[in-house]
Amino acid sequence: MDTSQLLKGVLDLAVLAVLREEDGYGYDVLRRLRASGLDEVADASVYGTLRRLYKADLLTSYVVPSEEGPHRKYYRVSESGRVRLEESCRTWRTFAKTMDQLLSAS
């Protein structure tokens, strides 16, 4: 199965989950996703997802000066982002349970 297709459907949820407890900048989010086991996630996909979630008011951002290189734009889950994350978690758990049942029947 092509996991890149699965990632497209759950990347919003994964990014919100990664940022739930700790703010992060683009590369940091990418690194944390990969460390969690999403090795195939592409850089451009994560940066695009961050921009899209920000435009949808699911994330807020702020800039932190850096002594090494350019300033970093950090992202934080907004209140509406936390609501979306809760809703998406419920949807995911229901979907995953259904798939587990289907696959166990095989």
Side-chain angles (χ1 to χ4, degrees):
M1 175 173 274
D2 183 10
T3 55
S4 64
Q5 291 300 314
L6 291 172
L7 274 173
K8 287 180 184 178
V10 297
L11 192 53
D12 287 10
L13 175 59
V15 167
L16 289 171
V18 162
L19 292 171
R20 173 182 32 211
E21 300 299 325
E22 183 181 358
D23 302 351
Y25 55 93
Y27 182 74
D28 178 51
V29 171
L30 178 66
R31 181 188 55 75
R32 287 158 50 187
L33 287 168
R34 287 180 176 164
S36 296
L38 298 178
D39 300 327
E40 294 184 31
V41 68
D43 298 23
S45 296
V46 172
Y47 288 104
T49 298
L50 288 168
R51 283 191 300 275
R52 192 168 22 75
L53 294 174
Y54 175 78
K55 286 182 182 178
D57 293 322
L58 301 175
L59 297 177
T60 60
S61 69
Y62 57 95
V63 175
V64 174
S66 174
E67 294 181 15
E68 300 173 8
H71 299 326
R72 291 185 173 150
K73 185 175 188 177
Y74 278 76
Y75 292 92
R76 172 182 295 146
V77 179
S78 67
E79 189 56 40
S80 58
R82 290 191 186 282
V83 169
R84 174 72 61 86
L85 178 58
E86 282 182 37
E87 293 168 351
S88 296
C89 283
R90 281 193 300 273
T91 301
W92 175 259
R93 287 185 182 110
T94 300
F95 178 76
K97 182 179 176 184
T98 301
M99 289 303 300
D100 283 342
Q101 289 171 348
L102 284 171
L103 294 173
S104 295
S106 317

